Amino acid sequence: QVQLVESGGGAVQAGDSLRLTCAGSGRDFSRDAMGWFRQAPGKEREFVATISWSAGITYYGDSVKGRFTISRDNAKKAVYLQMNNLKPEDTAVYYCAASERATSRSDRIYDYWGQGTQVTVSS
């Protein structure tokens, strides 16, 4: 069974940090691009960050650039999202996704999705 499982979410104060982890199983994700997306209540799903299979390419959404860092460890089958200086507007469910096709900001390119982890930032 192919799975992506996110963890590390929680409730924090503005200015705090969190590190999300996405663990893959059931297939080899080491050649896939991996991305993070988020969705706040009543809003469209938003691109957060993506990383190529070799970690040579990374892209970030404008709202998180300079605060969030995506990384991966293919040996551990894991992808991480380090989130610093969190703001209330970062409150959302965060999803991990894998793409066999491309390193992309578009959620339509991603083939596998996790169930999400909630991040809540209070002011």
Side-chain angles (χ1 to χ4, degrees):
Q1 183 182 1
V2 177
Q3 277 192 313
L4 292 171
V5 179
E6 302 93 339
S7 61
V12 296
Q13 299 284 322
D16 286 350
S17 298
L18 279 175
R19 188 194 196 204
L20 304 185
T21 298
C22 173
S25 62
R27 68 182 293 276
D28 182 8
F29 290 100
S30 65
R31 305 292 286 191
D32 291 351
M34 301 296 295
W36 287 96
F37 293 80
R38 67 186 183 186
Q39 189 165 20
K43 293 189 176 181
E44 298 282 319
R45 186 158 56 191
E46 177 189 11
F47 167 72
V48 176
T50 186
I51 187 167
S52 62
W53 72 270
S54 66
I57 297 172
T58 56
Y59 299 132
Y60 293 92
D62 289 341
S63 60
V64 307
K65 204 172 295 182
R67 299 188 296 122
F68 291 11
T69 302
I70 189 171
S71 61
R72 67 189 296 164
D73 186 334
N74 287 338
K76 294 183 177 180
K77 301 180 181 180
V79 179
Y80 309 100
L81 186 68
Q82 178 66 43
M83 306 186 295
N84 297 331
N85 189 22
L86 282 160
K87 302 177 180 180
E89 50 264 43
D90 295 319
T91 296
V93 177
Y94 283 71
Y95 298 92
C96 173
S99 171
E100 299 175 327
R101 289 169 280 176
T103 307
S104 175
R105 294 176 174 89
S106 171
D107 60 359
R108 290 174 292 180
I109 299 298
Y110 291 81
D111 306 292
Y112 304 95
W113 290 84
Q115 293 300 304
T117 185
Q118 176 71 46
V119 172
T120 303
V121 185
S122 57
S123 58

